[in-house]
Amino acid sequence: MSDVVEKTLTALPSLLSLDSQPGSAKLSSTSKLGNLIRGITELTSKHEEEKLIQRELVSIKEQLSSPSTSMRQMKELMVRAIYCEMLGYEASFSYIHAIKLAQQGSVLEKRVGYLAVSLFLNESHELLLLLVNTVLKDLQSTNLIEVCMALTVVSQIFPRDMIPAILPLVEEKLNHPKEIIRRKAVLALYKFYIIAPNQVQHIHNKFRKALCDKDPGVMTASLHIYLQMIQENPEGYKDLTTSFVTILKQVVGGKLPMDFNYHSVPAPWLQIQLLRILSLLGKNDQSTSEIMYEVLDESLRRAEMNHNITYAILYECVKCIYTIYPKSDLLEKAAKCIGNFVLSPKINLKYLGLKALTYVVQQDPKLALQHQMTIIECLDHSDLIIKRETLELLFRITNAQNVTVIVEKMLEFLRMSRDDYTTTDLVGKVAELAEKYAPDNEWFIETMNTVFSLGGDMMQPDIPNSFLKLLSEGFDSVEEDRKLRLFAVDSYVSLLQGELGKLPQRFLQVMSWVLGEFSHLKKELEPDTVLRLLAKLLDMKQTSSETKSWVFMAMTKLCEGGAAVSVAQEVCETYSSSMDTVLRQRAQELQHLSQDSELRARLLPGDGVLDALEVDSSLSFLDGFVSEALAAGAAPYKPPHQRQEELAQAKALSLEPYGLSLPISISSCSIADRQSPTLLSMSSGLSGDSTDLSHKGGSTTLKLDGVKRVWGKEGYLVQREPVEEAAQVEVPSPLQSSGQQGEANSSQGQTPPATQTPETEQEKQQLASSLFVGISSQSSVCLMGKSEPTAQRFRRKTKSQGLSLVASEQISNSPMSPPSAVDNLLCNTLLDSNFNSELAVSSSKQTSELSQGHTAANGTCDLDAELMDSDIKESNPSVLGDNGLATAALASHKDPNRPKNFCLSSHIPAELSGLPHSEITPLCSNQSLDLSACHVQGEDSLVLIVFISNSCDSDIQQIQLDVNSEHLEVSRVSHSPLEEVRSLSIASCQYSLTVKRPSVHVEVVGMVSYHFPVGTPQAVQFLYKLPLTSFIRPLTVSTEEYGTMWLAFSHDTKQNLTLINDEQEPLTATLNVLKKKLQVHVVEIIGMEGIVACQLLQDQPCLMHCRLHAGALAVWLRSPVPDLPDCLIYHCQRALQEQ
């Protein structure tokens, strides 16, 4: 066993205070763990180690089972059990004792118990239920150590179905006076957000409070949550840009305590986190990016130390600068930094430079031209990682002119690579480039043949499938189809006539299919010749059963004519008695079809082209059968993972204390035979489409899928160490000029590189001209956008598509409007050296200036307002401009000289005017065209009305309005299509909306294109948001119907909500608020329980069971729609909070 492992394990007892003297750093001579470690290190064989560990496990088991074992002894036994598990031996008998130690021991013993639990159990382990009450008790403890231990375990192994039981206590810890408690609470909430984001949506405002905590550790922990949320929805957090910039300025300025420094670099990991957040917020947003320019420049300037951590900061700065809206000065500095990285003699920095260059060339391909000779040298570098990253860079700059050279370099690397991941990755890239930029048919087929040969059976299945689909569907040119297929046939016939021993199985399958489909195109090639070539594959020992099935299918398509039939009959005789049932079936099919030419012609047309099959993936043709079976008393279908979860739930323990159990039930619900909705079970978050915990209740062993195996029964598994460079060279700072680097290198006496011969230099120049051809002339590349796609050689046939609106080539530039004014929330704590001054809170209208607020006396955040959602006014419209991301000006920011807005309410159609509608919201404006919208709520429908206002003196013609949504089914209300809008008039379009996939908020995206009588075509895009509550309607059912429906629904969620304490009963008052705000139907209230029903347009029911419990409202929602309960519980929380 290595010295490092021995030292680590030797230090373990002292860390856990197992010795008689607390400060001892050595193992006690009488320590049983010490004796065990010394005994193992003295052994000479694996067999002796196994015998010793087995004796130790038997001894541990006996002592754990003994009633006379004290807690102190239990602690030492648990550490020994941990050590045995670390060596790869099972000690599952100690799991329950670890939980007992965490429940009953003193602080130090609880610490060991919690450590053992976190190492022994995983999130789906059934024994984890026994730890819930212990964690709840420790979270309410006055001992800080116990609270810290509980929060640590919660953030490590607690699954999503246990979150509701502990979430309120974790929320309380955000206001704890000790910063370590607040920090651990934030990290626990971060874990909750990752595994169950819908359950913590109601505390987003508390995340903002954590961002401006007076302790930098708490603030740093909150950045993890914000990075995750901003990745999912950057538009929702633009108002925090100024705050993030302010934090980064003070971090770069060294105003944090010295404890956060690493090698004299102020809080480097915090800087990296903030740079990633800023890059997400500033992408394609000029106004937001302008706020960042100053701090990014400062970050580049200060990162001058020669240390790895500063290089990491520089790398993130470069990525951020090339991601946000561009500024020329910053781009020049970032390009210079990349150049210094690439030119560095140290491998790690060279790799970092190539990585940055690979990212940057997607925005600016011409930057690669400045380093083309260095890239050429990297292709011949001795380090395989450098070679692989260089090929990745070349893949990014490939075009139709350099594809042959780049693909050749990739194939050369594939031939020498022995790494499975590299092979799988590169064959996919080569196949993609070959299909996109192939210069001719011959090169394409030969390249794909090489891909199939080198990739073997490790390549992704979609590569051969895509290739065969390409050949089958053909292209826009019939002549191109015939030439490509004919060349493929010639190629595969010649390959089958040669040596076949080394060809992979997937390549043989591709050959069989192509010859079976298209060999008839070559008139001089007789079918019996092809059959004999295919029969050779059947005779090969290394041919798999699956490949033989492909061969049989190909032979079945070719068995026509006397000679071909005789060959087929010979094959059938050989395999008609095969032990493989699949091959025997294929042989029988071949025999029958070869004898019945009429049947074969009907099943397998001679041209190899079959009509496209329409696949009914929903199996709607079985609806009648299912309805009859359900009416006859059959149980509804449940997916396998749900059945497995229900079996596990039968043994699950209730999280509810026995003393608080409420005996009240709904007597008239007829649901006594199964789970009662009044009981809290463990199914929350596990039913329906939950797949992350689908193996709950299975094996009690640890899940180690994807975990790097370092320890085994043999001990420490020695990893192969990479070969280090012999010469360690001092690396210059990436910000130094090349002249300074040259001076530094000469002063340090570095060995100059070997001089190259003129012939070698000339070869590299020629290779560079081949690799980088076409980049300088590549389509005009904006630094913020990608170049226009190159015309693809092999374009698949265009298929019939639905109505789609194609934007005209010239799209007008809409003026930029400032971000929406959400003048709420951020706080008052600036990160100065003492962390007592306040964090500047900027309005969203401010861009580069920071406004200073008043300092709070206690140093905590002062929240001015909360973000509120409402049913009607929540439709926050944002507008998409030319590239789909820019924001067009709202009506409130239009030119005051333009004609005044018309009254739009009067243009609501008469049949809808009597129904409630939302506020008419301006969407965007472009020249004389204004778009506004509102939605009208009917009893069984929701209609979106889009108003098009023409405020100029000329008519707007050729109007095309296209509206679609990811979450909604959008259908236009049948009216004559809108083609023009007269001058100084208003037109409207109506769209019926129904929910396709529930979400907390749904979006409708649209684009309108139009012409003026004089001028070029115009187009503008818009985005309209509306809450899910707009689609909720009451569902009137009886109590008996409610009980029947409850049993049939499988997707559910649970949450504790705030009660409304009014003059009337709290339960009645709370349900009345939900009825008023969410339009739900209160079915019945019995004592301390109530049942509620609602439905989502159209016909998507959701049931809610409520009861009073411990001063809160325990809510359980069930629905047949997967995401509907989680979305509805969010809106219930918001409705009660607003009340």
Side-chain angles (χ1 to χ4, degrees):
M1 186 176 296
S2 69
D3 294 339
V4 175
V5 176
E6 183 176 354
K7 291 178 181 178
T8 303
L9 296 177
T10 304
L12 180 61
S14 63
L15 295 175
L16 298 173
S17 301
L18 291 176
D19 299 330
S20 57
Q21 297 179 359
S24 177
K26 298 182 179 180
L27 276 174
S28 171
S29 59
T30 60
S31 169
K32 293 186 178 180
L33 177 62
N35 295 333
L36 174 63
I37 295 175
R38 275 187 289 270
I40 291 177
T41 55
E42 293 171 359
L43 297 178
T44 59
S45 68
K46 177 64 179 175
H47 179 67
E48 292 178 355
E49 179 191 304
E50 290 181 356
K51 290 175 62 178
L52 177 61
I53 294 296
Q54 292 300 332
R55 288 198 304 269
E56 182 70 17
L57 290 175
V58 172
S59 174
I60 293 174
K61 187 173 183 180
E62 291 177 355
Q63 295 182 63
L64 287 175
S65 304
S66 174
S68 60
T69 303
S70 65
M71 284 296 167
R72 181 178 179 82
Q73 294 171 331
M74 186 81 71
K75 178 186 65 173
E76 185 185 10
L77 292 171
M78 202 54 56
V79 175
R80 287 157 59 190
I82 292 175
Y83 180 63
C84 293
E85 284 259 344
M86 289 171 58
L87 293 180
Y89 298 90
E90 184 182 8
S92 57
F93 60 85
S94 63
Y95 295 174
I96 186 66
H97 297 283
I99 295 177
K100 290 180 180 179
L101 191 61
Q103 291 173 341
Q104 303 171 4
S106 63
V107 173
L108 182 57
E109 292 154 359
K110 288 174 73 72
R111 179 186 178 190
V112 177
Y114 273 127
L115 173 63
V117 168
S118 62
L119 294 174
F120 289 157
L121 307 184
N122 57 12
E123 292 183 355
S124 59
H125 202 288
E126 57 186 6
L127 289 181
L128 203 59
L129 295 170
L130 303 177
L131 199 65
V132 174
N133 285 335
T134 304
V135 171
L136 289 174
K137 183 183 70 174
D138 288 342
L139 285 175
Q140 302 175 49
S141 173
T142 57
N143 190 319
L144 296 182
I145 299 178
E146 292 182 352
V147 177
C148 287
M149 290 188 295
L151 288 173
T152 302
V153 170
V154 162
S155 61
Q156 286 181 345
I157 59 175
F158 260 49
R160 58 178 296 175
D161 57 316
M162 297 184 185
I163 292 177
I166 59 175
L167 182 58
L169 293 176
V170 176
E171 286 184 52
E172 291 178 4
K173 297 301 177 284
L174 293 175
N175 300 320
H176 199 278
K178 289 294 183 179
E179 58 275 2
I180 187 174
I181 303 296
R182 299 198 301 272
R183 182 168 71 248
K184 287 184 175 290
V186 171
L187 293 175
L189 292 175
Y190 172 57
K191 171 67 178 298
F192 296 167
Y193 183 82
I194 292 176
I195 62 177
N198 290 328
Q199 298 193 26
V200 295
Q201 285 187 355
H202 64 289
I203 57 175
H204 281 194
N205 291 344
K206 296 184 179 179
F207 295 159
R208 297 195 173 211
K209 187 175 181 181
L211 179 63
C212 31
D213 193 276
K214 61 184 179 181
D215 181 73
V218 180
M219 179 272 299
T220 303
S222 68
L223 292 182
H224 295 288
I225 302 178
Y226 274 105
L227 180 60
Q228 191 79 17
M229 294 191 297
I230 292 173
Q231 285 175 343
E232 299 169 358
N233 179 27
E235 295 295 328
Y237 302 93
K238 297 276 188 179
D239 57 313
L240 296 178
T241 304
T242 304
S243 302
F244 290 126
V245 169
T246 304
I247 296 172
L248 183 57
K249 279 184 178 180
Q250 298 182 64
V251 173
V252 172
K255 295 186 178 181
L256 264 65
M258 294 294 292
D259 295 341
F260 288 84
N261 289 5
Y262 178 77
H263 286 270
S264 302
V265 180
W269 288 276
L270 177 57
Q271 291 189 51
I272 291 173
Q273 196 88 324
L274 287 168
L275 288 170
R276 290 174 179 172
I277 290 174
L278 292 180
S279 64
L280 294 171
L281 293 173
K283 187 176 182 179
N284 299 323
D285 189 334
Q286 183 177 3
S287 60
T288 303
S289 299
E290 289 174 351
I291 308 175
M292 311 173 187
Y293 291 156
E294 181 181 354
V295 70
L296 290 176
D297 192 7
E298 184 71 9
S299 297
L300 279 176
R301 186 180 64 83
R302 286 181 177 268
E304 296 179 352
M305 296 179 57
N306 292 326
H307 195 275
N308 286 339
I309 196 63
T310 58
Y311 302 146
I313 295 174
L314 287 174
Y315 175 71
E316 290 297 335
C317 281
V318 169
K319 289 183 63 177
C320 182
I321 289 171
Y322 273 93
T323 302
I324 66 176
Y325 196 86
K327 184 182 180 183
S328 58
D329 295 343
L330 287 176
L331 292 176
E332 291 177 4
K333 294 180 180 180
K336 182 180 177 182
C337 183
I338 292 175
N340 292 329
F341 276 142
V342 173
L343 296 174
S344 171
K346 194 165 184 179
I347 291 181
N348 287 341
L349 289 189
K350 189 179 290 290
Y351 172 79
L352 195 64
L354 291 173
K355 196 81 175 174
L357 194 57
T358 302
Y359 179 82
V360 167
V361 293
Q362 300 179 58
Q363 283 79 28
D364 186 10
K366 296 181 182 179
L367 189 61
L369 293 174
Q370 303 175 16
H371 308 287
Q372 50 184 315
M373 295 309 300
T374 304
I375 295 173
I376 296 299
E377 293 175 357
C378 290
L379 282 174
D380 299 325
H381 202 282
S382 58
D383 191 284
L384 295 180
I385 303 298
I386 297 293
K387 280 187 178 181
R388 191 173 68 188
E389 191 59 37
T390 306
L391 292 175
E392 178 70 24
L393 171 61
L394 294 178
F395 172 74
R396 303 288 180 182
I397 61 174
T398 305
N399 53 54
Q401 296 174 277
N402 62 8
V403 62
T404 55
V405 183
I406 292 178
V407 167
E408 181 183 353
K409 289 294 179 182
M410 289 183 172
L411 294 178
E412 286 180 6
F413 187 79
L414 269 177
R415 291 186 181 97
M416 60 176 291
S417 174
R418 296 294 179 266
D419 179 58
D420 293 349
Y421 169 78
T422 302
T423 301
T424 304
D425 181 59
L426 271 185
V427 295
K429 288 182 169 62
V430 173
E432 180 182 346
L433 295 179
E435 181 178 342
K436 190 174 183 180
Y437 299 114
D440 52 59
N441 294 334
E442 181 178 353
W443 184 89
F444 175 69
I445 295 297
E446 290 179 351
T447 301
M448 293 305 299
N449 290 349
T450 308
V451 167
F452 293 140
S453 299
L454 297 177
D457 298 326
M458 291 183 297
M459 74 173 72
Q460 297 294 335
D462 58 344
I463 295 177
N465 292 344
S466 178
F467 175 71
L468 296 181
K469 186 178 181 182
L470 186 74
L471 292 176
S472 175
E473 294 180 352
F475 320 118
D476 292 337
S477 171
V478 177
E479 184 62 21
E480 284 289 329
D481 292 351
R482 193 188 68 80
K483 290 181 179 179
L484 182 65
R485 293 165 179 169
L486 190 57
F487 189 85
V489 171
D490 290 337
S491 174
Y492 296 152
V493 168
S494 61
L495 284 173
L496 288 178
Q497 291 173 346
E499 181 62 34
L500 302 176
K502 297 183 179 180
L503 293 180
Q505 297 298 311
R506 285 186 178 171
F507 194 13
L508 296 178
Q509 295 167 11
V510 169
M511 289 183 185
S512 303
W513 188 89
V514 172
L515 292 178
E517 291 286 339
F518 304 118
S519 62
H520 66 277
L521 297 176
K522 191 171 184 179
K523 303 300 181 183
E524 62 272 17
L525 185 63
E526 296 296 333
D528 60 299
T529 304
V530 181
L531 284 176
R532 288 189 176 89
L533 292 175
L534 293 175
K536 287 173 56 180
L537 298 179
L538 296 175
D539 298 335
M540 293 170 53
K541 293 183 179 179
Q542 60 267 34
T543 304
S544 66
S545 176
E546 182 183 2
T547 302
K548 290 181 180 179
S549 298
W550 284 69
V551 173
F552 269 112
M553 291 302 299
M555 298 179 73
T556 305
K557 301 171 187 176
L558 298 173
C559 57
E560 58 180 350
V565 171
S566 63
V567 175
Q569 291 298 328
E570 293 177 5
V571 174
C572 293
E573 291 176 2
T574 304
Y575 286 92
S576 59
S577 58
S578 172
M579 298 296 293
D580 192 320
T581 56
V582 176
L583 295 182
R584 193 162 63 245
Q585 177 184 346
R586 298 295 182 215
Q588 293 293 332
E589 293 172 355
L590 175 59
Q591 183 175 5
H592 286 292
L593 291 177
S594 62
Q595 296 173 354
D596 192 341
S597 57
E598 182 179 351
L599 176 61
R600 190 185 62 80
R602 290 204 311 270
L603 293 177
L604 304 169
D607 56 359
V609 178
L610 292 173
D611 295 335
L613 298 177
E614 294 184 2
V615 179
D616 184 4
S617 58
S618 64
L619 304 179
S620 59
F621 55 89
L622 294 176
D623 288 348
F625 172 79
V626 173
S627 300
E628 293 177 1
L630 291 175
Y637 171 77
K638 294 179 181 178
H641 68 269
Q642 185 180 345
R643 294 196 294 270
Q644 188 176 4
E645 289 162 6
E646 290 187 355
L647 289 175
Q649 291 161 15
K651 301 181 290 184
L653 301 180
S654 175
L655 295 175
E656 194 175 280
Y658 294 119
L660 298 178
S661 177
L662 299 177
I664 302 173
S665 62
I666 305 177
S667 58
S668 56
C669 280
S670 302
I671 57 177
D673 295 339
R674 293 181 55 188
Q675 300 175 3
S676 169
T678 63
L679 298 178
L680 288 175
S681 75
M682 293 306 299
S683 63
S684 174
L686 290 174
S687 59
D689 59 349
S690 296
T691 58
D692 52 338
L693 298 177
S694 59
H695 299 287
K696 178 174 172 60
S699 172
T700 60
T701 58
L702 291 173
K703 292 183 178 179
L704 298 177
D705 296 339
V707 179
K708 184 178 179 182
R709 193 159 176 256
V710 181
W711 294 90
K713 290 187 176 181
E714 301 82 8
Y716 180 71
L717 303 179
V718 181
Q719 304 297 315
R720 186 173 298 174
E721 296 291 339
V723 180
E724 296 184 356
E725 290 184 304
Q728 296 295 329
V729 184
E730 181 66 25
V731 183
S733 170
L735 290 183
Q736 293 177 356
S737 64
S738 57
Q740 292 171 339
Q741 288 185 28
E743 295 174 2
N745 293 341
S746 61
S747 64
Q748 293 171 11
Q750 294 182 356
T751 304
T755 57
Q756 297 179 349
T757 61
E759 292 79 4
T760 305
E761 188 66 26
Q762 185 177 1
E763 290 178 1
K764 290 187 176 182
Q765 292 286 355
Q766 292 176 354
L767 180 58
S769 62
S770 302
L771 286 175
F772 298 96
V773 64
I775 294 181
S776 58
S777 60
Q778 212 165 341
S779 55
S780 57
V781 180
C782 171
L783 288 174
M784 281 307 302
K786 295 183 179 179
S787 60
E788 296 178 1
T790 308
Q792 186 171 335
R793 172 176 177 80
F794 297 116
R795 293 183 299 173
R796 304 180 189 273
K797 283 185 178 178
T798 55
K799 298 183 179 181
S800 58
Q801 300 177 358
L803 294 176
S804 61
L805 182 62
V806 180
S808 54
E809 295 181 0
Q810 183 176 356
I811 303 179
S812 62
N813 293 323
S814 302
M816 302 291 295
S817 68
S820 58
V822 188
D823 298 334
N824 313 351
L825 294 177
L826 251 196
C827 8
N828 45 14
T829 325
L830 272 186
L831 301 173
D832 58 2
S833 57
N834 297 321
F835 253 78
N836 291 327
S837 58
E838 64 174 349
L839 180 64
V841 182
S842 294
S843 168
S844 58
K845 296 179 181 179
Q846 294 171 316
T847 56
S848 60
E849 297 181 359
L850 302 177
S851 62
Q852 300 293 333
H854 298 287
T855 306
N858 56 0
T860 59
C861 293
D862 217 357
L863 303 180
D864 297 327
E866 293 184 355
L867 295 177
M868 296 293 187
D869 292 333
S870 62
D871 294 343
I872 304 296
K873 296 183 180 180
E874 169 116 353
S875 55
N876 293 329
S878 60
V879 184
L880 305 173
D882 300 349
N883 57 2
L885 292 170
T887 306
L890 300 182
S892 59
H893 299 142
K894 291 191 296 184
D895 188 348
N897 296 326
R898 296 181 62 177
K900 192 175 181 180
N901 253 355
F902 299 97
C903 180
L904 298 177
S905 300
S906 59
H907 291 269
I908 296 178
E911 64 272 16
L912 302 176
S913 58
L915 299 175
H917 65 84
S918 67
E919 178 183 349
I920 298 177
T921 308
L923 297 179
C924 61
S925 61
N926 190 15
Q927 296 184 5
S928 300
L929 181 80
D930 298 303
L931 290 181
S932 304
C934 70
H935 54 274
V936 181
Q937 298 182 358
E939 292 185 1
D940 55 355
S941 64
L942 189 136
V943 178
L944 173 68
I945 304 177
V946 180
F947 301 95
I948 305 176
S949 305
N950 181 9
S951 56
C952 69
D953 297 331
S954 57
D955 298 346
I956 299 178
Q957 302 171 349
Q958 300 182 23
I959 295 179
Q960 291 184 348
L961 180 62
D962 182 36
V963 177
N964 53 67
S965 174
E966 179 185 358
H967 304 94
L968 303 175
E969 292 284 353
V970 182
S971 58
R972 182 163 183 167
V973 179
S974 57
H975 286 295
S976 59
L978 178 65
E979 295 182 353
E980 67 175 2
V981 179
R982 297 289 183 182
S983 62
L984 302 176
S985 64
I986 299 175
S988 64
C989 298
Q990 301 178 40
Y991 296 88
S992 176
L993 306 179
T994 55
V995 178
K996 178 171 56 177
R997 182 165 60 87
S999 179
V1000 174
H1001 297 91
V1002 293
E1003 298 177 349
V1004 176
V1005 180
M1007 182 168 69
V1008 58
S1009 61
Y1010 56 94
H1011 284 72
F1012 284 106
V1014 178
T1016 56
Q1018 307 288 327
V1020 65
Q1021 294 179 312
F1022 61 87
L1023 178 69
Y1024 185 80
K1025 293 184 180 180
L1026 61 163
L1028 188 69
T1029 52
S1030 303
F1031 298 88
I1032 297 177
R1033 299 293 183 270
L1035 177 60
T1036 305
V1037 295
S1038 64
T1039 305
E1040 290 77 10
E1041 294 171 336
Y1042 178 96
T1044 303
M1045 296 169 65
W1046 181 272
L1047 295 178
F1049 297 164
S1050 57
H1051 303 282
D1052 63 352
T1053 189
K1054 300 172 188 173
Q1055 187 68 49
N1056 291 334
L1057 302 182
T1058 305
L1059 276 172
I1060 301 297
N1061 294 318
D1062 208 344
E1063 296 179 356
Q1064 52 182 327
E1065 292 292 331
L1067 178 60
T1068 304
T1070 304
L1071 294 184
N1072 286 338
V1073 170
L1074 296 179
K1075 178 180 179 181
K1076 177 182 177 182
K1077 292 199 171 188
L1078 303 184
Q1079 301 188 52
V1080 298
H1081 171 63
V1082 180
V1083 180
E1084 188 174 0
I1085 298 177
I1086 304 177
M1088 302 175 68
E1089 299 185 11
I1091 52 177
V1092 178
C1094 64
Q1095 62 179 337
L1096 198 63
L1097 298 176
Q1098 296 275 346
D1099 299 328
Q1100 301 182 47
C1102 185
L1103 305 180
M1104 181 190 304
H1105 174 265
C1106 313
R1107 69 187 182 93
L1108 300 180
H1109 171 62
L1113 184 68
V1115 177
W1116 188 357
L1117 283 86
R1118 273 196 173 186
S1119 174
V1121 184
D1123 296 328
L1124 183 54
D1126 286 334
C1127 297
L1128 194 57
I1129 198 71
Y1130 168 78
H1131 285 290
C1132 290
Q1133 292 169 340
R1134 296 307 299 266
L1136 296 178
Q1137 286 178 358
E1138 292 174 4
Q1139 185 68 19

